[in-house]
Amino acid sequence: MFITRFAPSPTGRLHMGHAFSALFAESLAIRERGKFLLRIEDIDKNRCRKEYTEGIYEDLEWLGIRWDSEVLIQSTRFDEYKNSINILREMEVLYPCFCSRKKIEAEQSNVGLAPHGSMQPKYSGNCRYIGPEERENRIAKREPHSWRLDCGKALSITGQLQWVDRAAGTINVEPSILGDVIISRKDIETSYHLAVTLDDAYQGVSLVSRGKDLMESTHVHRLLQCLLDLPVPQWYHHKLIKDSKGKRFSKREGSLTLKEMRDSGISAEYLRRELGF
Ligand code: GLU
């Protein structure tokens, strides 16, 4: 069964980039006579809001998008994330990282959020070299810590892996691209990488459709799938659409939201046509 999905985070209202991504995934499912699922990625309690989740439903309905069966809400799955963290810890592919938030913020790609865009600094690997005794002592003293994937060690267990992208072909896994990413954040005890990998498997997603900006993350996800013995889907990292100034749509850049466009009188039909659907 062909199953794909759209997995937005309710950290703001959707913009044109989201509309393209959702329409792209839905059109694949229609073409393949498969299922199109919706998942709300709301693990980050500090940034996600209920009204933004409502906004996602409202905007997708307005666009005329129909999703199959129940919506999966990530914040209901913390127990599953915890189980997998324990498995990975037993495999000794995770290590505690005691680096301060400030330092972690400087190493943005590794904070455990969906790392949109490339060229972000990697974690130095500092805490990988802390000995077992010191680790235990610091944990026993309740020193705040996250858990990072020792990607070199993980790959030495799994052996060389590959993944298949519908647009880019077969790609060798190179987890060193993102480095030792966070698997369990200090504050929420999971991360984008872990949650997305487990949930795509749980929902039986056979084709992970998302923007090219998340392509680097797939190296980590493929590695996690192998470590956790999960089924392996295919991927389709689609192009990123740009605004009239040639800039990518993003929350950070303050792109016009679908709601703002709707309120200004733009129709869903016009927008779908503009996006090529
Ligand atoms: N929730 C992620 C985001 O908002 C996307 C996850 C994915 O498609 O893999 O960027």
Side-chain angles (χ1 to χ4, degrees):
M1 174 79 168
F2 179 94
I3 303 180
T4 191
R5 66 2 172 235
F6 176 55
S9 302
T11 53
R13 294 293 301 224
L14 302 184
H15 51 63
M16 287 275 273
H18 294 114
F20 179 82
S21 204
L23 287 163
F24 184 86
E26 188 201 28
S27 71
L28 289 172
I30 292 170
R31 204 178 318 150
E32 307 260 356
R33 295 177 194 280
K35 271 190 181 184
F36 171 64
L37 307 178
L38 176 63
R39 183 167 72 231
I40 302 294
E41 303 217 318
D42 61 343
I43 51 173
D44 192 335
K45 294 167 218 153
N46 300 322
R47 297 173 70 234
C48 295
R49 300 226 185 97
K50 207 160 172 256
E51 66 254 37
Y52 292 141
T53 300
E54 301 299 331
I56 290 170
Y57 299 142
E58 196 181 295
D59 292 342
L60 295 182
E61 267 165 27
W62 173 71
L63 276 169
I65 291 177
R66 299 281 167 265
W67 52 93
D68 288 72
S69 64
E70 272 170 48
V71 177
L72 185 66
I73 309 286
Q74 281 195 325
S75 57
T76 61
R77 300 219 343 118
F78 280 103
D79 287 348
E80 280 73 14
Y81 306 146
K82 200 172 181 180
N83 279 343
S84 295
I85 289 163
N86 287 338
I87 293 171
L88 294 169
R89 281 182 58 187
E90 272 163 32
M91 293 174 84
E92 298 185 355
V93 290
L94 300 187
Y95 62 86
C97 174
F98 303 96
C99 292
S100 69
R101 175 170 280 275
K102 215 170 168 190
K103 198 167 171 194
I104 289 167
E105 269 166 11
E107 296 168 346
Q108 276 207 346
S109 73
N110 296 314
V111 297
L113 296 170
H116 294 279
S118 56
M119 304 307 288
Q120 291 161 324
K122 277 196 283 186
Y123 177 61
S124 59
N126 264 348
C127 291
R128 199 192 309 140
Y129 305 105
I130 298 175
E133 208 170 307
E134 185 183 337
R135 276 181 190 169
E136 269 169 42
N137 283 340
R138 292 173 77 168
I139 291 173
K141 281 190 201 140
R142 298 186 180 275
E143 190 173 328
H145 58 279
S146 58
W147 289 90
R148 287 184 182 271
L149 181 67
D150 184 336
C151 63
K153 193 169 179 190
L155 200 67
S156 72
I157 294 174
T158 63
Q160 184 58 57
L161 298 169
Q162 295 183 319
W163 53 280
V164 177
D165 183 274
R166 283 219 178 164
T170 303
I171 295 171
N172 279 325
V173 167
E174 281 179 56
S176 59
I177 292 174
L178 287 185
D180 289 354
V181 292
I182 289 181
I183 295 300
S184 175
R185 274 168 49 175
K186 278 178 202 175
D187 53 349
I188 55 172
E189 297 186 355
T190 184
S191 64
Y192 160 68
H193 296 299
L194 183 72
V196 88
T197 304
L198 289 175
D199 290 350
D200 279 332
Y202 174 69
Q203 293 191 284
V205 170
S206 61
L207 184 79
V208 175
S209 163
R210 60 183 172 214
K212 266 190 176 161
D213 54 337
L214 287 171
M215 204 150 172
E216 292 170 341
S217 302
T218 304
H219 293 270
V220 178
H221 304 173
R222 180 68 191 89
L223 191 56
L224 287 174
Q225 283 159 0
C226 187
L227 292 168
L228 294 167
D229 207 11
L230 301 172
V232 183
Q234 284 197 354
W235 284 263
Y236 199 154
H237 293 91
H238 60 69
K239 67 172 184 183
L240 301 175
I241 58 156
K242 309 242 169 86
D243 65 15
S244 53
K245 292 185 201 124
K247 267 192 162 177
R248 252 187 62 202
F249 290 92
S250 80
K251 281 170 202 165
R252 235 170 284 165
E253 294 287 338
S255 299
L256 215 57
T257 66
L258 298 180
K259 179 169 169 28
E260 285 163 341
M261 296 176 96
R262 180 163 70 242
D263 291 349
S264 74
I266 290 174
S267 73
E269 290 68 33
Y270 171 81
L271 205 135
R272 289 178 77 112
R273 248 196 331 273
E274 280 286 294
L275 292 171
F277 295 92

